Amino acid sequence: MGNILVWIAVILIVLWLVGYLGFGEAVGSFIHILLVIAVIVILVRVIRGAV
């Protein structure tokens, strides 16, 4: 399960970069929210020591 969360975080970061660089405000804002969720998941894993 842990590897799945890491892959989801990586995919969300890539999608955020694509949206931020290429598709303007609407898609970029949505993907930015997904990025924030991905960062929260990574922080929870670091705090739990499950990196």
Side-chain angles (χ1 to χ4, degrees):
M1 175 99 179
N3 287 338
I4 294 173
L5 293 176
V6 171
W7 278 107
I8 290 173
V10 168
I11 290 170
L12 289 176
I13 290 169
V14 170
L15 288 174
W16 173 75
L17 285 172
V18 169
Y20 184 75
L21 297 174
F23 292 108
E25 288 295 319
V27 176
S29 297
F30 175 70
I31 295 176
H32 182 76
I33 292 169
L34 294 177
L35 175 67
V36 170
I37 294 170
V39 169
I40 291 171
V41 168
I42 291 171
L43 287 175
V44 168
R45 287 177 49 87
V46 168
I47 291 170
R48 289 184 180 174
V51 174

